[in-house]
Amino acid sequence: MEVKIRLNSVDDTQMLAEIISGYVFPGIIIGLTGDLGSGKTTFTKYLSKYIGVSDNLNSPTFTILKIYDGYYKLYHMDVYRLEDIGYDYELDEFIYGDGICVIEWYPYIKTMLPQEILSIDFRVIDEFTRDVTIKGEGPYEKIVKAISDRYCH
Ligand SMILES: Nc1ncnc2c1ncn2[C@@H]1O[C@H](COP(=O)(O)OP(=O)(O)O)[C@@H](O)[C@H]1O
Ligand SMILES: [Mg+2]
């Protein structure tokens, strides 16, 4: 299932993160795509707050993985640097762990990921506007459905 929504401000992105935070479960994988500056880290930052992370989340670009403590463990990855490599088996225990796994640029390690994830693509429309496409099948379909119910009347 797929839903497309328009976010007109950073507050809208925060609200999306809040909604999704209500549906996370141990082992969830959220894959993010979108150009640099489209909002992947901003979304993750808000999601982290809503799952009880008190540390300030920032971009993991130079470390690939950062781990945060909230109501769940949060594994925040940015696998942009793995573009030419395509995998990093040290990430396996986190991808298949029981925390919440958020992966910026997830297609670069697609072969390491399970078939089903929640994917969110951010497209920049203008300074504050983002068009977002959210997709999920199997256990993720109900999340997409819930988002759809909230936004599409
Ligand atoms: N609606 C919006 N959603 C998310 N970020 C936005 C939005 N409007 C403006 N921004 C700004 O765009 C930038 C997004 O940066 P960031 O989240 O680091 O992007 P990415 O991780 O995709 O490279 C931030 O400076 C943020 O304040
Ligand atoms: Mg980022």
Side-chain angles (χ1 to χ4, degrees):
M1 185 174 182
E2 166 177 326
V3 63
K4 288 181 196 284
I5 56 179
R6 173 158 288 191
L7 306 171
N8 290 304
S9 63
V10 177
D11 283 354
D12 282 358
T13 299
Q14 176 171 359
M15 195 202 286
L16 176 66
E18 181 177 13
I19 292 168
I20 291 177
S21 75
Y23 294 92
V24 297
F25 53 85
I28 188 174
I29 298 176
I30 303 175
L32 308 179
T33 49
D35 289 337
L36 205 67
S38 59
K40 303 182 296 299
T41 301
T42 300
F43 167 82
T44 311
K45 194 180 291 243
Y46 286 122
L47 184 71
S48 75
K49 294 300 168 206
Y50 288 112
I51 61 170
V53 172
S54 51
D55 286 355
N56 191 36
L57 181 144
N58 44 50
S59 191
T61 304
F62 298 103
T63 54
I64 299 186
L65 168 69
K66 282 190 181 171
I67 302 173
Y68 298 89
D69 280 313
Y71 309 132
Y72 307 88
K73 290 275 185 193
L74 172 63
Y75 307 128
H76 181 207
M77 302 177 195
D78 184 325
V79 299
Y80 185 79
R81 290 197 311 148
L82 298 176
E83 177 179 11
D84 296 325
I85 306 166
Y87 64 90
D88 179 342
Y89 293 120
E90 288 180 7
L91 299 176
D92 241 34
E93 67 172 289
F94 305 103
I95 293 169
Y96 294 96
D98 54 10
I100 293 175
C101 187
V102 179
I103 311 173
E104 299 191 35
W105 301 99
Y106 77 92
Y108 292 163
I109 58 162
K110 201 142 194 188
T111 56
M112 293 186 64
L113 301 177
Q115 188 86 19
E116 286 163 350
I117 68 165
L118 185 73
S119 73
I120 309 178
D121 180 64
F122 293 83
R123 182 172 300 244
V124 177
I125 302 301
D126 64 28
E127 190 179 3
F128 295 110
T129 309
R130 305 289 186 265
D131 275 355
V132 171
T133 305
I134 304 163
K135 292 184 199 169
E137 306 299 336
Y140 294 98
E141 191 167 337
K142 66 173 186 296
I143 304 179
V144 182
K145 172 86 169 59
I147 295 164
S148 171
D149 289 347
R150 283 290 289 269
Y151 286 90
C152 311
H153 307 288

